[in-house]
Amino acid sequence: MEKVVQAGANSIAMIHSILPSLSNAEQKVAQAVLDNPSNTVYSSVTDLAETAEVGETTVIRFCRKLGYRGFQEFKLAVAQDLVSPSQQVYGKIEEDDPIDVICKKMTAFSTQAVEDTLSLLQESQLQKATDALIAARRQFFFGVGSSGITAQDAQYHFMRLGFDAHAASDAHIIAMNCSMMTPADVVLGISTSGSTKDLVDAMKLAKENGAYVICLTSHARSPITSYADAVLIAASKETPLQGGAFASKLAQIHVLDILSTIVSLKQRASTFEALSKSAKSVVDKMY
């Protein structure tokens, strides 16, 4: 099995990322860790197995699926992460919280989303994605629903850098675009869940037509990743009732900002010229 974690990866953030792809028994282990990570640090493999009501082999399998060699290595990673807590610094928002406390909690939550995203990003995947975007004839950014808004933002940034960038959020438009992809094109599909059927099916179609496929998701083993040549992970802890949460979108935009910055630095001369032209084109539209 391909290793999921990398040096410096936040273990708690990775569990959230891989949770939907785990078996029912492995999800019990994951939930036991997420419910009380501090207790996990002081547990033996038997203790955690009993807490999760599974066998010890399931705990070991869970650790290895994350990419750790065993329970001890996983436990050490959790302990290191707890030195700089991966949970919200100020706790959950309560109904009687004053405005200043809500501001602090939301800021801590958003900051943590960005920090967790940094720990989940792999340099090799970023390298592949940036190289593909630079080499492509056309760049397409697709997302459905809230992710479609993120796709439009990505198109705006890459268009200003001088690329032939396109974006779509309508499932039919996305499908038609992907049906006409060629090996000279690159498509970046954005989906927090990685399981949006309209987008996953379109990525499969783009892949079959030879396009280079990049996915930006919060779940490392979601369906969309099976068709991606490069996988970029943005941290997200939203529930189904929180679809399109600002913290998740902030994490996605942070990844795209990193991506566009790397691209602009690699293409410094051409991107500077493009930025200058695009800035001059709208100068008369502002007071």
Side-chain angles (χ1 to χ4, degrees):
M1 179 179 294
E2 183 181 354
K3 189 170 182 177
V4 175
V5 297
Q6 60 172 343
N10 185 293
S11 58
I12 304 299
M14 181 52 71
I15 292 173
H16 280 288
S17 174
I18 201 174
L19 188 61
S21 68
L22 299 175
S23 67
N24 290 336
E26 291 164 350
Q27 285 189 11
K28 289 183 177 181
V29 180
Q31 199 57 57
V33 175
L34 294 174
D35 288 343
N36 197 339
S38 297
N39 189 56
T40 300
V41 174
Y42 298 100
S43 298
S44 66
V45 65
T46 303
D47 293 333
L48 183 56
E50 290 179 353
T51 300
E53 298 181 343
V54 299
E56 293 179 13
T57 54
T58 300
V59 175
I60 300 300
R61 189 166 61 248
F62 163 77
C63 295
R64 289 178 177 169
K65 185 163 286 190
L66 282 169
Y68 298 101
R69 288 172 293 182
F71 180 66
Q72 291 302 317
E73 186 177 51
F74 167 69
K75 191 166 67 169
L76 176 60
V78 174
Q80 291 172 332
D81 292 337
L82 291 179
V83 174
S84 300
S86 62
Q87 305 302 319
Q88 291 187 51
V89 175
Y90 297 97
K92 295 181 180 179
I93 294 175
E94 305 294 344
E95 290 184 9
D96 58 350
D97 281 343
I99 290 178
D100 67 317
V101 173
I102 292 174
C103 291
K104 290 177 181 178
K105 288 181 177 181
M106 293 303 298
T107 300
F109 187 66
S110 295
T111 300
Q112 194 62 56
V114 171
E115 290 179 352
D116 287 347
T117 295
L118 178 61
S119 77
L120 294 172
L121 281 175
Q122 296 185 21
E123 184 178 342
S124 61
Q125 299 299 310
L126 279 169
Q127 185 69 59
K128 290 195 295 183
T130 53
D131 288 346
L133 286 165
I134 290 172
R137 178 188 62 175
R138 299 179 298 176
Q139 296 77 18
F140 293 87
F141 301 91
F142 296 143
V144 177
S146 177
S147 293
I149 300 172
T150 309
Q152 291 176 348
D153 195 51
Q155 181 214 10
Y156 173 80
H157 281 282
F158 277 85
M159 180 178 65
R160 291 197 69 211
L161 293 177
F163 291 94
D164 186 9
H166 307 265
S169 57
D170 180 90
H172 289 194
I173 300 299
I174 292 173
M176 287 188 285
N177 270 289
C178 289
S179 72
M180 294 182 282
M181 292 281 178
T182 74
D185 300 320
V186 62
V187 55
L188 194 156
I190 305 169
S191 172
T192 298
S193 68
S195 302
T196 305
K197 191 175 187 300
D198 288 334
L199 187 65
V200 174
D201 290 348
M203 295 303 98
K204 179 183 178 183
L205 184 58
K207 181 76 171 177
E208 290 173 347
N209 284 324
Y212 191 95
V213 177
I214 305 167
C215 75
L216 174 54
T217 182
S218 294
H219 298 288
R221 294 187 182 277
S222 54
I224 196 172
T225 63
S226 61
Y227 302 112
D229 298 293
V231 178
L232 305 176
I233 305 295
S236 171
K237 297 178 183 178
E238 66 183 35
T239 69
L241 296 177
Q242 294 176 305
F246 274 114
S248 300
K249 185 170 296 295
L250 180 63
Q252 289 179 342
I253 291 174
H254 182 59
V255 173
L256 291 169
D257 195 19
I258 291 173
L259 201 60
S260 63
T261 300
I262 297 172
V263 167
S264 64
L265 289 174
K266 287 189 173 185
Q267 299 284 97
R268 189 172 304 173
S270 60
T271 54
F272 179 79
E273 181 181 359
L275 286 169
S276 178
K277 286 182 178 179
S278 60
K280 289 178 181 178
S281 71
V282 297
V283 71
D284 293 337
K285 302 183 185 302
M286 292 183 285
Y287 291 104

